[in-house]
Amino acid sequence: MATPQPADLTLEEKASLTSGSSFWLTEPIERVDVPAIMLTDGPHGLRKQEEGADHLGLSQSVPATCFPPAVALGSSWDTELAERVGAAIAREAAAHGVSVVLGPGINIKRSLLCGRNFEYVSEDPHVSGRVGAALVRGLQSEGIGSSLKHFAANNQEHDRMRVSSDVDPRPLREIYLRAFEHVVRTAQPWTVMCSYNRINGVYASEDPWLLTEVLREEWGFEGLVVSDWGAVNDRVRGLAAGLDLEMPSSGGRTDAQIVRAVRAGELDEGVLDQAAGRVLRLIDRATASQEGRAASGAGVDVDAHHALAREAAGSCVVLLQNDGDLLPLDRSASIAVIGEFARTPRFQGAGSSVINPTRLDAALDSIVATAAGDVAYAPGFSIDPAATEAEQATLAAEAVELAARSQVAVLFLGLPGPLESEGFDRTDIDLPAEQVRLVDAVRAVNPRVVVVLANGGVVALPFAADVPAILEGWLLGQAGGGAVADVLFGDVTPSGKLTETIPLRLEDSPAYLDFPGDFSHVRYGEGLFVGYRWYDARSIRVAFPFGHGLSYTTFAYGDLTAQAVEVPGEGGIEVSLDVTNTGSRRGREVVQFYVAVPESGVQRPVRELAGFAAVTLDPGETRTVTTRLERADLAYWDVRVGRWVLEPGRYVVEAGASSRDLRSRARVDLAGEEVVIALTPESSLGEALRHPSAGPVMRAALTQMLAAPGEETLSEDAEEVLRMIDSLPLNRLGVFAGGADIGPFLETILAAAEA
Ligand code: GLC
């Protein structure tokens, strides 16, 4: 039977489609053979509940592969890998009859304190967009829908269902919407999930500017907008704004509101038809791919997915430092493995993304399985909040004694699960005090210390100068224990790079004075200057910069060339350079390309990531890395004309191994586009002088008025005067001309501007 259209349905049936029939299911309409389909979490694995239903991961879900959460996957900077992970999650979703996986989450990490940073990719929109698009492509390549979330400016958990993110137009566009725009334009997610919060006072779930004008009319989004669970504030207003599907079910309450509104003429039935049509189309896409799958009989290879999870985790680990090349470890060394997280992995975050893993690797077991020498274990600390000081001291003493009689001590530290979660934010970035004390105590008896971190949000590293090696593992998913062992012993050469700055202190961070806001308003006072944009603008020292990550080999960068690609509305800068593996191991390097516009006419960060490219090289091998920095990543949002503008002028491109390890530089001039603003009597004298057609007329008139007799140009003094009155509005020129009537002169200038 052909898929029914809204016209085939009654008003009540159409209204019922725009709200779920349960916590996870859409509304079926048996009369016309419309089935229900299931939407469920995501994002780094399948969370399908069979008993109970909640959006906080409280009730159990079916076993599924827990891949590295976004904080780690993003650190791989590997879009091909992210695509494969997305496809694997989709296969598991399909095997369980799920049609849409609620992910990826690509909100920007504005504050280090956000409890949900483990579920997001970066402080930077470029890398967030690339990894997000790859996950969407991966999921949808298997006929499973994605749900790009949380749209938009959902950057904290405190008061998340009401807080208004008060953010200026440029940071909103250039930082908080930019990654969403990239994913929608390049990967067309089947659905977008609107967020709980308000944006400049308007709920995302009922904001026509956000859900229709920007998302659909500007970006060309063709799919369906679904609410975050419980995000609907006013269903009728939401429907009119472009929110197609309310989840979870309202039990028919809001369906009735919609029917009443249409009947009362308060809601155009065409709006309802449009939303119901989008729901029908989503169901159609889902059932079509289910039928296709039934035919193929594709199942899930759980072992292969675990292996992929281990490969992925190994690519996510970031080697922060490795003084004296302590790593990789000698397999025959006597190793003290210390820390509860070696035995009890911290592998994912808490809340709606909690996956019930098919299996779970503990690093301790993997180290024992890989090492050839003695391996001994001591917990070193307790993660039980009820543990006493005395108990912590006993555990520490035992660990110190073990470290003293071992050749190397590997400390597994991190944030205990209850310290960070969906639903609340942290108040500091400190590791538990007993862990920091343990580092000092261990290194006092054995300087050969490797610290391995398990944390979803950034933590301060007060011991960074005191230990030779630090691995930032973030949260690595179910196979993280095995992956850490692979990296520790060199079976995997680390290639992860930070997608979030690790500052020396929380006080140095961009949002420190504007977080989490008061009385349901949070001011994004740092504007454009989020993450490295902030630290670079203020030349603030950091512990480890955005983009940083070492390898067990080294890389040399050749000279960078940059070529303008001028195509109206597209184009960009073609960049190319040679990269050489100058070490003794095969390794992967992520070359980052940052762009600066030193003479910009508008406020801009010192440099911004505009592209990256990875290359894997054998020792001694050289490869040419080439990529294009797209116009979309070079432009700024011009609030005067309400669109992206590629500024004409000199662009400086820097190729770096991190945002502060810039190895090679090139300059290129872009024609871009001159933004011509219509002159008005309020325009300034300077704007008139710089106007392409009125400028020469203005200058001639001023020269005639101000030049010395017989002179054809203005003296330096006269030029100085013009600089001093640059901002003088044209309609007040008369005040400084003895009250002369400047009307005719003004008309001449304004007419010239129209020419
Ligand atoms: C949660 C989350 C969202 C999740 C949804 C369903 O509150 O904000 O990311 O997909 O509800 O669990």
Side-chain angles (χ1 to χ4, degrees):
M1 179 175 184
T3 306
Q5 296 307 308
D8 307 321
L9 305 179
T10 66
L11 177 60
E12 288 73 10
E13 288 170 335
K14 289 187 290 192
S16 72
L17 277 178
T18 67
S19 163
S21 64
S22 68
F23 207 82
W24 302 116
L25 293 174
T26 60
E27 186 74 39
I29 305 180
E30 278 91 19
R31 181 181 69 82
V32 288
D33 286 341
V34 171
I37 62 169
M38 178 177 275
L39 300 81
T40 195
D41 297 303
H44 51 266
L46 178 70
R47 181 173 80 95
K48 179 193 175 187
Q49 295 173 318
E50 292 186 326
E51 272 85 40
D54 64 80
H55 64 307
L56 293 173
L58 306 174
S59 312
Q60 191 52 287
S61 55
V62 301
T65 307
C66 180
F67 289 97
V71 61
L73 197 59
S75 303
S76 73
W77 295 60
D78 190 335
T79 53
E80 183 275 332
L81 171 70
E83 207 161 320
R84 283 191 288 133
V85 168
I89 294 170
R91 288 193 291 275
E92 297 192 19
H96 285 280
V98 171
S99 298
V100 177
V101 169
L102 302 172
I106 60 167
N107 293 98
I108 292 297
K109 305 190 194 197
R110 171 180 177 252
S111 167
L112 303 81
L113 297 174
C114 174
R116 222 171 162 185
N117 275 352
F118 66 86
E119 248 188 278
Y120 303 143
V121 175
S122 177
E123 68 189 27
D124 173 83
H126 182 86
V127 65
S128 295
R130 271 42 186 196
V131 172
L135 283 165
V136 166
R137 285 196 301 271
L139 282 164
Q140 298 181 173
S141 68
E142 293 284 337
I144 296 296
S146 60
S147 194
L148 188 63
K149 70 187 187 181
H150 306 87
F151 191 56
N154 179 186
N155 307 102
Q156 65 187 55
E157 292 302 289
H158 175 78
D159 198 16
R160 66 171 174 163
M161 300 187 81
R162 300 178 312 172
V163 71
S164 175
S165 300
D166 296 341
V167 47
D168 292 336
R170 280 195 66 195
L172 181 55
R173 289 283 187 162
E174 296 184 36
I175 303 293
Y176 298 100
L177 294 183
R178 202 165 202 166
F180 286 93
E181 178 171 8
H182 176 78
V183 178
V184 167
R185 286 184 186 276
T186 63
Q188 272 297 345
W190 286 14
T191 76
V192 164
M193 180 190 289
C194 80
S195 58
Y196 286 125
N197 55 287
R198 290 178 289 157
I199 300 162
N200 296 320
V202 181
Y203 278 109
S205 63
E206 56 194 49
D207 186 342
W209 172 80
L210 185 74
L211 302 183
T212 297
E213 199 178 315
V214 172
L215 182 60
R216 294 185 186 281
E217 292 167 5
E218 263 186 58
W219 297 352
F221 177 59
E222 298 159 359
L224 168 140
V225 179
V226 60
S227 72
D228 197 342
W229 267 237
V232 169
N233 170 62
D234 178 313
R235 185 68 193 105
V236 173
R237 217 172 16 237
L239 201 74
L243 175 61
D244 305 306
L245 176 62
E246 172 189 21
M247 291 304 283
S249 163
S250 69
R253 181 176 54 80
T254 54
D255 305 3
Q257 289 170 357
I258 289 170
V259 169
R260 270 199 304 277
V262 170
R263 292 222 164 99
E266 293 155 8
L267 176 70
D268 179 276
E269 188 161 3
V271 168
L272 173 58
D273 290 351
Q274 190 174 65
R278 288 170 183 152
V279 176
L280 290 169
R281 177 159 180 266
L282 178 67
I283 293 169
D284 210 22
R285 293 175 97 169
T287 46
S289 74
Q290 271 167 4
E291 281 147 20
R293 178 169 306 283
S296 72
V300 175
D301 181 338
V302 175
D303 291 337
H305 283 190
H306 185 76
L308 175 59
R310 182 162 177 160
E311 177 200 345
S315 298
C316 301
V317 174
V318 182
L319 178 58
L320 296 180
Q321 67 187 33
N322 189 21
D323 297 346
D325 291 342
L326 178 57
L327 291 175
L329 298 178
D330 177 339
R331 288 171 197 274
S332 60
S334 62
I335 300 171
V337 177
I338 296 169
E340 187 54 56
F341 295 117
R343 177 172 60 179
T344 315
R346 171 98 209 283
F347 63 101
Q348 62 178 335
S352 62
S353 68
V354 166
I355 307 300
N356 174 14
T358 55
R359 48 184 279 198
L360 183 58
D361 292 352
L364 175 59
D365 301 338
S366 301
I367 291 169
V368 167
T370 310
D374 292 335
V375 175
Y377 172 73
F381 56 87
S382 167
I383 55 177
D384 177 349
T388 64
E389 287 283 327
E391 286 162 343
Q392 296 288 15
T394 303
L395 289 169
E398 182 190 297
V400 167
E401 192 277 324
L402 174 62
R405 54 185 165 81
S406 305
Q407 285 173 297
V408 63
V410 184
L411 267 64
F412 284 80
L413 310 177
L415 285 178
L419 293 187
E420 56 179 350
S421 165
E422 174 179 348
F424 61 84
D425 299 319
R426 288 188 290 165
T427 53
D428 62 61
I429 59 170
D430 303 330
L431 283 167
E434 58 273 12
Q435 294 185 31
V436 177
R437 283 197 299 272
L438 180 64
V439 176
D440 289 339
V442 165
R443 69 183 180 83
V445 299
N446 185 339
R448 293 160 58 81
V449 171
V450 179
V451 169
V452 182
L453 296 164
N455 47 303
V458 161
V459 291
L461 302 173
F463 45 76
D466 306 325
V467 299
I470 304 177
L471 282 175
E472 176 57 84
W474 299 117
L475 301 177
L476 290 170
Q478 69 181 48
V484 166
D486 293 339
V487 170
L488 285 172
F489 290 107
D491 294 329
V492 167
T493 294
S495 60
K497 299 273 185 178
L498 292 177
T499 59
E500 185 178 1
T501 307
I502 301 178
L504 289 167
R505 309 178 311 153
L506 175 62
E507 294 84 340
D508 294 340
S509 60
Y512 181 64
L513 294 176
D514 280 317
F515 188 90
D518 296 309
F519 311 123
S520 284
H521 277 270
V522 59
R523 174 95 196 107
Y524 284 34
E526 71 286 353
L528 295 169
F529 301 93
V530 178
Y532 65 89
R533 290 169 167 85
W534 169 267
Y535 301 108
D536 290 352
R538 298 166 67 92
S539 303
I540 295 174
R541 278 183 54 242
V542 297
F544 297 98
F546 174 86
H548 172 76
L550 303 179
S551 170
Y552 291 153
T553 187
T554 50
F555 299 96
Y557 288 31
D559 294 339
L560 175 65
T561 61
Q563 193 76 34
V565 178
E566 303 279 8
V567 174
E570 293 170 33
I573 301 174
E574 199 85 20
V575 290
S576 181
L577 82 163
D578 285 353
V579 180
T580 302
N581 180 339
T582 49
S584 58
R585 280 172 173 266
R586 180 178 170 80
R588 177 176 183 268
E589 174 70 335
V590 179
V591 180
Q592 301 146 48
F593 297 98
Y594 295 88
V595 172
V597 187
E599 284 94 43
S600 173
V602 296
Q603 182 191 51
R604 292 178 90 134
V606 171
R607 63 180 62 81
E608 299 182 278
L609 182 72
F612 62 90
V615 62
T616 299
L617 300 169
D618 287 323
E621 185 183 3
T622 296
R623 190 99 51 83
T624 301
V625 171
T626 301
T627 190
R628 176 183 292 195
L629 309 183
E630 302 296 345
R631 178 188 187 280
D633 294 292
L634 303 171
Y636 75 95
W637 182 262
D638 193 309
V639 294
R640 299 170 299 172
V641 292
R643 60 183 167 78
W644 293 104
V645 169
L646 182 67
E647 204 172 2
R650 169 68 48 98
Y651 287 69
V652 176
V653 183
E654 295 168 302
S658 86
S659 59
R660 293 204 171 170
D661 180 3
L662 301 164
R663 307 277 184 88
S664 193
R665 172 175 296 116
R667 290 170 180 74
V668 62
D669 293 327
L670 292 183
E673 63 158 306
E674 202 63 63
V675 174
V676 180
I677 302 297
L679 288 187
T680 70
E682 292 282 303
S683 299
S684 73
L685 180 129
E687 284 161 353
L689 279 170
R690 289 185 288 275
H691 190 283
S693 54
V697 177
M698 186 76 189
R699 174 152 292 272
L702 290 169
T703 303
Q704 196 175 358
M705 277 185 256
L706 301 173
E711 291 297 320
E712 305 220 330
T713 58
L714 294 178
S715 67
E716 186 39 46
D717 287 351
E719 292 289 356
E720 180 66 19
V721 168
L722 290 187
R723 275 195 288 276
M724 291 164 75
I725 60 173
D726 185 278
S727 62
L728 177 61
L730 294 173
N731 62 5
R732 286 182 244 168
L733 273 174
V735 170
F736 299 98
D741 171 16
I742 61 158
F745 172 67
L746 199 47
E747 278 166 30
T748 306
I749 296 301
L750 297 183
E754 293 304 312

